Amino acid sequence: MASVEIRAVRYDDPDAVKLNDLVQQEYVERYGDGDLTVMDAAHFDPPRGLYLLAYDEDGEAVASGGWRAQDDSPEGHTDGDAEIKRMFVVARARGRGLARAILAELERSAAAAGRTRMVLETGQRQPEAIALYRSCGYVPVPKFGYYRHDELSVCLGKPLVTSV
């Protein structure tokens, strides 16, 4: 992987907003609409969340991802969940390991914050995402979240291991 810097930022940081706009465009292309899940910048504030951006050697934000704490809810979350949101790599930076690097840091930080399981919701029209998560140990879990009743929804999870 070329020289990349991963930084924690707020979800409403201008670079994060720019990448969020790009991922929303990709959702529209694949599904016909953007992600309608309610999200707020405060959801990602430590210690109950974290939002990361990867910057390339030119200082441009090229990848994003965050987690937010979730606990038992009518939407299907379980106490101790850390929900991944907005994992995205711009097209020109794909295949460089950026998603894996961000995912590893999200898992590490969520475990350090006391979260016990990482979960995510993606869709069948994102086979690259599904392949990434499965290769990192994610397995199907009961559906949760805004799209839990959508036939295209795919929910995956992985227990988090805390280091002693």
Side-chain angles (χ1 to χ4, degrees):
M1 181 167 54
S3 171
V4 171
E5 179 186 1
I6 296 177
R7 295 183 215 157
V9 300
R10 279 195 43 105
Y11 180 70
D12 57 2
D13 177 275
D15 287 336
V17 170
K18 180 177 156 185
L19 288 186
N20 186 56
D21 290 347
L22 291 174
V23 74
Q24 292 291 349
Q25 288 174 11
E26 190 151 324
Y27 294 152
V28 169
E29 291 170 14
R30 293 184 188 220
Y31 298 101
D33 204 353
D35 183 354
L36 302 176
T37 304
V38 175
M39 296 202 319
D40 183 282
H43 293 171
F44 299 96
D45 288 345
R48 293 194 45 86
L50 181 68
Y51 203 78
L52 300 174
L53 294 182
Y55 288 85
D56 68 11
E57 53 280 348
D58 296 322
E60 186 174 340
V62 293
S64 65
W67 68 266
R68 60 185 183 170
Q70 297 284 10
D71 289 308
D72 189 43
S73 75
E75 287 195 342
H77 293 100
T78 302
D79 284 346
D81 281 353
E83 180 185 17
I84 294 174
K85 295 302 294 179
R86 297 299 185 263
M87 285 288 292
F88 179 69
V89 179
V90 299
R92 69 175 178 75
R94 291 178 183 161
R96 295 173 45 190
L98 297 174
R100 280 184 196 281
I102 286 177
L103 183 60
E105 180 57 21
L106 294 176
E107 290 174 356
R108 186 207 62 74
S109 63
R115 298 281 100 189
T116 57
R117 181 176 77 150
M118 190 68 91
V119 296
L120 64 101
E121 188 273 333
T122 188
Q124 292 178 15
R125 294 183 182 153
Q126 293 169 266
E128 317 89 334
I130 294 168
L132 166 72
Y133 295 123
R134 289 202 171 158
S135 74
C136 291
Y138 286 76
V139 297
V141 297
K143 287 187 174 186
F144 63 86
Y146 184 85
Y147 294 99
R148 66 191 175 281
H149 302 297
D150 190 311
E151 64 185 25
L152 294 176
S153 174
V154 174
C155 291
L156 303 171
K158 176 182 176 179
L160 292 172
V161 179
T162 56
S163 54
V164 179

